[in-house]
PDB file of all heavy atoms in Angstrom:
ATOM      1  N   ILE A  32       2.954 -14.753   9.186  1.00  0.00           N
ATOM      2  CA  ILE A  32       2.526 -13.780   8.178  1.00  0.00           C
ATOM      3  C   ILE A  32       1.054 -13.962   7.847  1.00  0.00           C
ATOM      4  O   ILE A  32       0.300 -12.985   7.734  1.00  0.00           O
ATOM      5  CB  ILE A  32       3.396 -13.910   6.906  1.00  0.00           C
ATOM      6  CG1 ILE A  32       4.839 -13.500   7.219  1.00  0.00           C
ATOM      7  CG2 ILE A  32       2.839 -13.050   5.771  1.00  0.00           C
ATOM      8  CD1 ILE A  32       5.801 -13.733   6.069  1.00  0.00           C
ATOM      9  N   LEU A  33       0.609 -15.210   7.698  1.00  0.00           N
ATOM     10  CA  LEU A  33      -0.795 -15.458   7.382  1.00  0.00           C
ATOM     11  C   LEU A  33      -1.722 -14.992   8.503  1.00  0.00           C
ATOM     12  O   LEU A  33      -2.825 -14.501   8.246  1.00  0.00           O
ATOM     13  CB  LEU A  33      -1.016 -16.946   7.093  1.00  0.00           C
ATOM     14  CG  LEU A  33      -0.494 -17.457   5.750  1.00  0.00           C
ATOM     15  CD1 LEU A  33      -0.735 -18.956   5.622  1.00  0.00           C
ATOM     16  CD2 LEU A  33      -1.168 -16.719   4.595  1.00  0.00           C
ATOM     17  N   LEU A  34      -1.280 -15.144   9.758  1.00  0.00           N
ATOM     18  CA  LEU A  34      -2.073 -14.656  10.881  1.00  0.00           C
ATOM     19  C   LEU A  34      -2.272 -13.156  10.775  1.00  0.00           C
ATOM     20  O   LEU A  34      -3.396 -12.643  10.891  1.00  0.00           O
ATOM     21  CB  LEU A  34      -1.397 -15.007  12.203  1.00  0.00           C
ATOM     22  CG  LEU A  34      -2.027 -14.374  13.464  1.00  0.00           C
ATOM     23  CD1 LEU A  34      -3.467 -14.858  13.634  1.00  0.00           C
ATOM     24  CD2 LEU A  34      -1.191 -14.693  14.707  1.00  0.00           C
ATOM     25  N   ALA A  35      -1.169 -12.440  10.533  1.00  0.00           N
ATOM     26  CA  ALA A  35      -1.253 -10.978  10.433  1.00  0.00           C
ATOM     27  C   ALA A  35      -2.089 -10.552   9.237  1.00  0.00           C
ATOM     28  O   ALA A  35      -2.936  -9.647   9.333  1.00  0.00           O
ATOM     29  CB  ALA A  35       0.152 -10.384  10.353  1.00  0.00           C
ATOM     30  N   LEU A  36      -1.883 -11.208   8.091  1.00  0.00           N
ATOM     31  CA  LEU A  36      -2.594 -10.806   6.872  1.00  0.00           C
ATOM     32  C   LEU A  36      -4.075 -11.171   6.917  1.00  0.00           C
ATOM     33  O   LEU A  36      -4.900 -10.478   6.311  1.00  0.00           O
ATOM     34  CB  LEU A  36      -1.936 -11.438   5.649  1.00  0.00           C
ATOM     35  CG  LEU A  36      -0.509 -10.980   5.340  1.00  0.00           C
ATOM     36  CD1 LEU A  36       0.000 -11.637   4.066  1.00  0.00           C
ATOM     37  CD2 LEU A  36      -0.440  -9.460   5.217  1.00  0.00           C
ATOM     38  N   SER A  37      -4.424 -12.242   7.635  1.00  0.00           N
ATOM     39  CA  SER A  37      -5.840 -12.593   7.765  1.00  0.00           C
ATOM     40  C   SER A  37      -6.589 -11.520   8.542  1.00  0.00           C
ATOM     41  O   SER A  37      -7.746 -11.196   8.225  1.00  0.00           O
ATOM     42  CB  SER A  37      -5.989 -13.954   8.452  1.00  0.00           C
ATOM     43  OG  SER A  37      -5.500 -13.904   9.787  1.00  0.00           O
ATOM     44  N   LEU A  38      -5.935 -10.947   9.551  1.00  0.00           N
ATOM     45  CA  LEU A  38      -6.555  -9.850  10.292  1.00  0.00           C
ATOM     46  C   LEU A  38      -6.706  -8.610   9.411  1.00  0.00           C
ATOM     47  O   LEU A  38      -7.699  -7.886   9.500  1.00  0.00           O
ATOM     48  CB  LEU A  38      -5.717  -9.525  11.528  1.00  0.00           C
ATOM     49  CG  LEU A  38      -5.689 -10.603  12.620  1.00  0.00           C
ATOM     50  CD1 LEU A  38      -4.705 -10.225  13.726  1.00  0.00           C
ATOM     51  CD2 LEU A  38      -7.083 -10.807  13.216  1.00  0.00           C
ATOM     52  N   VAL A  39      -5.702  -8.366   8.538  1.00  0.00           N
ATOM     53  CA  VAL A  39      -5.794  -7.256   7.592  1.00  0.00           C
ATOM     54  C   VAL A  39      -6.993  -7.447   6.665  1.00  0.00           C
ATOM     55  O   VAL A  39      -7.772  -6.509   6.412  1.00  0.00           O
ATOM     56  CB  VAL A  39      -4.507  -7.146   6.749  1.00  0.00           C
ATOM     57  CG1 VAL A  39      -4.671  -6.109   5.637  1.00  0.00           C
ATOM     58  CG2 VAL A  39      -3.325  -6.774   7.631  1.00  0.00           C
ATOM     59  N   LEU A  40      -7.172  -8.669   6.177  1.00  0.00           N
ATOM     60  CA  LEU A  40      -8.266  -8.958   5.246  1.00  0.00           C
ATOM     61  C   LEU A  40      -9.622  -8.791   5.916  1.00  0.00           C
ATOM     62  O   LEU A  40     -10.541  -8.164   5.351  1.00  0.00           O
ATOM     63  CB  LEU A  40      -8.110 -10.382   4.707  1.00  0.00           C
ATOM     64  CG  LEU A  40      -8.983 -10.761   3.511  1.00  0.00           C
ATOM     65  CD1 LEU A  40      -8.700  -9.848   2.328  1.00  0.00           C
ATOM     66  CD2 LEU A  40      -8.764 -12.220   3.133  1.00  0.00           C
TER      67      LEU A  40
END
Side-chain angles (χ1 to χ4, degrees):
I32 294 174
L33 286 178
L34 172 62
L36 295 183
S37 64
L38 292 174
V39 172
L40 192 59

